[in-house]
Each structure stands twice: as C-alpha cells, then as structure tokens.
Amino acid sequence: MLYIAVAIFSWQMKYFRHIDNNYLIFRQAYYHARSGLNLYAAYPKEYYDMYYYGPLFSLFVAPFAIPPEVVGLFLWEVANAVVVIVAVNMLTLDNRRKMLMLLLCAIEFANAVFYMQFNPMITAMIIISFMLVERGKDQWATLLIVAGTLIKLYPVVGLAFFAFSKDKPKFIIWTIAWFGIMMILPTIISSPAFVINSYHQWFDALSYKSALNTGLNTSQDMCVMGVVRRLTGNVNIPNLPFLVAGAFIFAMPFLRFKQFDSHKFRLQVLATALIMVVIFSTGAEHPTFIIAVAGVVLWIMIQDKPFTTTNNILIILLLVITGLGLTDVMPKPIRQDIIAKYSMKAWPCIIAWFIISYELMFKDFIKEGSAIDKHYHRGIAA
C-alpha cells in the first residue's frame, strides 16, 4: 500500500503541475519510432533533455504511451511500484524481512518514482532474473536479462547468474535466441533499417553522454570514479583503472565453486551485482540508487542478525545520506556544498560493496551454515 500510495502521489503531483518531462521523453520514443524519427535527436518543442535508452524501449513503453497522457503516466508510476513489490516477494526471505526490505528501500523508491524513472523496473529485472535462475527457469530469466540490457545496459550484470544455472546449455541457447528476437522486435512499429541505425545512434549517444557525465559539478557521476574525482578536484582521472579493478573484484568470488552450494552466497552475489552496476557507472544519479540500495538492504536482510551495530550505522547512512541527502529534507548548504559536491550519496553503497565483496572472496558460507541456507535446503527437501 505504501509503494502504490507513493506512486499515485507522484503521478498526481507531476501530471497536474506539468512537470512530467521524463515521462514525456519515454512516451514520445514510441511515436518517434513509429514515425521513423531519430530517437536521439533533440525535440525542444516536446521535452527538454535527450533520450538515452535502447530502441527496444520504444516498443516496451507502448502500453504507457498509447493511452492518454494522464492514464499513461498513472500506469507507468504504479507499474514501477508493482514490479518492485513482486521482485522482493520472490526472494527467499521470510515475510518480516521482505517487509523490512521494502520499508528500508521506500525512500529510494520515492526518489526514483518522483523522477518517473525506469530504475525500479531495472531493480526488479535483476532480482527476478536471479530468482528465475534459482528456480531453473532460465528461458524467462534470460528474457529479462537480454531485454533489460537492450533497454538500459544495467541488467547485463544478470549474465553473471549463468554461474548458478542448473542447465548452462539452456541458459546459453535462450540468451542467444532472446538476443536475436529482442534486436528485431522494435521493427513491429518501425523498420529493420531504422532499428539498425538506431542501435548505432544509441551507442554514439551513450559515448557522448558518458563524456558529459564526467565532471566536478554534474548531477551524475555519483560513482567510485566520480567520488575520487571530486575529492581530489581532478576531473581528468580516467574511468578504466576503476572499471578493471571493479570487474576483477566482482569476478573473484566466481572462482569459489564450492561456495555455490550456499544460497546465502548466491544471494550475496545478487546483492553485490545490484550495487556494482550503479557505483561503477558515470551515469549514476540521484534516482538511480534504488538499484544499489536494494542490494545493500538485501545483504543486510540475509544476515542471521541483520541489526548489528555496524549494520544499524550503515542503515542510518543509507536513509539519511543516500536517501534524504539530495532532497529538500536536507538543509540546502549541506545538500549542495557537501553531499552533492563530493557525491556523498554514493558513499554508503561503496562502503557496503567493499564489505560484501570481501566476504564473498574470503568467508566460508558453507561452514557458516546460516539460517537462510538451512531454511532454503529444508524447502528443497520438502
């Protein structure tokens, strides 16, 4: 009820005050694709800013673009709430922990839905694809991974769940099949030539956008590299060394094959994946962090004792700095001159990611015999 209420509140405030620019960008992508217009050109008479999603999104957004704007925006906001609720409900947590996870993510969800962003759906795609792999439904898991990747890249991290697949040939075959289908699917409303050209334009637009994101005063670049750039005042610090190091740290736990039998280990990989796609992206901005915060809170919720002193401090930082730090709740001098200036919104998630990654590399999950593993294996046996 809370999530639906937040979505509806955001809808009425944005629509009736005519501050629904992000939704208009998404909506118009459908009509531009149908008309064969360049998706990545500027359309100042329709909206400000630019479109940076894949050509597949122009078809995906159709159910929210075809109805009248007041209905389409309403459906968009509510759909973002529903998918997060569904994703969390699929997790192998007890109902109390699912409820706590939703509550602790509520502020970040509000931040995302307030800007009418796609990020709650990305969060859900990554979580649901993981759970579908856990259930042996690789054909549907790979659909979400491929579709999400061709819309906004972040869900590509779901390919890492291949390591946990019970039928790896099936995973590979369906990934290839869905990639082919999803690449050509937008031709339903356009043409093959338009779609091929749009993919080229998309990659050019992303390269251009990445260069724009990097700076000391942008509203994006809230990532590991951005934090270092802002702390040092050196805008020329390159991304590549950080991306290589991040990929190495993320990949190391996948060499611990014996740990794969631990459901907690696998859930912790899901948590680190959710965080990593945000804290190593120069496109990370205020509404993006629903993805990362979901990862941090998931990690906390799978602990036998979630509310230790350390975790409580981390939760407070998540709620106050990450959640409220860039909102009007925070006094303007603190919000602009400290939190925004040094990309502090990302700090709690970065700290959590290193802790989680360290555990994934060195902790013996099998020997630990956590409560969530015992509960999971009892369920399998039953």
Side-chain angles (χ1 to χ4, degrees):
M1 290 178 65
L2 173 63
Y3 273 62
I4 300 297
V6 169
I8 293 174
F9 175 81
S10 178
W11 159 75
Q12 62 84 25
M13 183 178 69
K14 291 295 185 174
Y15 178 77
F16 292 106
R17 296 186 184 183
H18 305 290
I19 46 177
D20 52 350
N21 184 73
N22 283 342
Y23 167 72
L24 294 178
I25 295 174
F26 299 154
R27 174 188 173 88
Q28 290 304 110
Y30 168 75
Y31 293 102
H32 292 163
R34 281 189 57 182
S35 302
L37 300 175
N38 185 346
L39 295 172
Y40 306 95
Y43 296 94
K45 293 183 179 180
E46 298 176 11
Y47 51 74
Y48 61 89
D49 209 342
M50 305 287 284
Y51 173 82
Y52 290 107
Y53 288 67
L56 179 61
F57 186 77
S58 63
L59 180 62
F60 174 88
V61 79
F64 311 101
I66 294 173
E69 184 182 338
V70 63
V71 177
L73 178 56
F74 176 85
L75 294 175
W76 176 259
E77 296 288 64
V78 172
N80 271 280
V82 170
V83 294
V84 174
I85 295 167
V86 170
V88 172
N89 191 56
M90 288 181 68
L91 290 168
T92 47
L93 304 174
D94 59 53
N95 286 339
R96 178 176 176 273
R97 296 192 186 214
K98 290 176 184 178
M99 179 192 70
L100 288 170
M101 182 171 175
L102 286 169
L103 287 173
L104 292 174
C105 293
I107 294 175
E108 270 318 316
F109 169 75
N111 289 336
V113 82
F114 181 82
Y115 287 93
M116 298 151 288
Q117 287 283 6
F118 183 63
N119 297 311
M121 292 193 187
I122 291 177
T123 307
M125 282 181 169
I126 296 173
I127 293 173
I128 294 173
S129 64
F130 172 86
M131 290 307 304
L132 289 173
V133 170
E134 287 287 297
R135 297 177 182 184
K137 298 180 179 180
D138 293 22
Q139 68 273 30
W140 304 119
T142 50
L143 168 60
L144 291 178
I145 294 167
V146 171
T149 300
L150 293 178
I151 288 174
K152 199 184 173 179
L153 295 184
Y154 286 175
V156 72
V157 74
L159 292 175
F161 307 150
F162 168 77
F164 306 139
S165 172
K166 302 174 183 67
D167 189 344
K168 289 179 171 55
K170 179 182 177 182
F171 190 103
I172 294 170
I173 291 169
W174 276 106
T175 298
I176 295 170
W178 284 126
F179 184 79
I181 293 169
M182 293 296 116
M183 284 286 289
I184 64 174
L185 201 60
T187 60
I188 292 174
I189 59 171
S190 54
S191 68
F194 175 81
V195 172
I196 292 170
N197 191 44
S198 292
Y199 276 108
H200 289 296
Q201 293 170 337
W202 182 34
F203 291 122
D204 289 341
L206 290 178
S207 298
Y208 175 72
K209 183 69 159 49
S210 180
L212 286 180
N213 293 340
T214 303
L216 302 181
N217 297 300
T218 68
S219 62
Q220 298 180 313
D221 207 24
M222 295 181 186
C223 55
V224 174
M225 304 83 77
V227 168
V228 174
R229 277 190 279 266
R230 296 187 186 205
L231 287 175
T232 60
N234 183 0
V235 72
N236 296 314
I237 290 176
N239 294 322
L240 187 60
F242 295 92
L243 296 177
V244 171
F248 177 79
I249 293 171
F250 179 70
M252 284 298 292
F254 289 95
L255 299 177
R256 304 185 70 201
F257 303 113
K258 293 182 179 179
Q259 300 297 320
F260 288 11
D261 288 337
S262 167
H263 184 58
K264 182 181 178 182
F265 175 86
R266 300 194 300 272
L267 281 172
Q268 196 151 316
V269 168
L270 169 61
T272 191
L274 287 163
I275 303 168
M276 191 187 89
V277 295
V278 176
I279 65 169
F280 286 96
S281 168
T282 59
E285 56 184 340
H286 182 42
T288 313
F289 275 79
I290 178 60
I291 307 170
V293 168
V296 179
V297 175
L298 172 61
W299 170 67
I300 292 172
M301 287 298 113
I302 63 176
Q303 308 305 315
D304 285 356
K305 297 180 179 179
F307 300 109
T308 62
T309 301
T310 301
N311 287 354
N312 287 341
I313 292 172
L314 185 57
I315 289 170
I316 292 170
L317 292 175
L318 279 175
L319 296 177
V320 177
I321 303 299
T322 303
L324 299 175
L326 294 180
T327 71
D328 292 337
V329 172
M330 194 65 62
K332 190 173 181 179
I334 297 175
R335 182 173 75 243
Q336 292 186 346
D337 299 335
I338 300 176
I339 296 175
K341 182 178 180 180
Y342 297 108
S343 291
M344 288 184 68
K345 182 178 178 76
W347 289 17
C349 295
I350 293 171
I351 293 168
W353 186 78
F354 278 105
I355 296 171
I356 296 167
S357 299
Y358 178 86
E359 289 185 355
L360 283 171
M361 287 189 286
F362 299 109
K363 188 176 182 179
D364 191 338
F365 291 82
I366 302 296
K367 186 177 180 180
E368 178 192 22
S370 67
I372 196 166
D373 272 342
K374 292 174 182 176
H375 175 75
Y376 177 79
H377 289 297
R378 279 198 302 268
I380 294 294

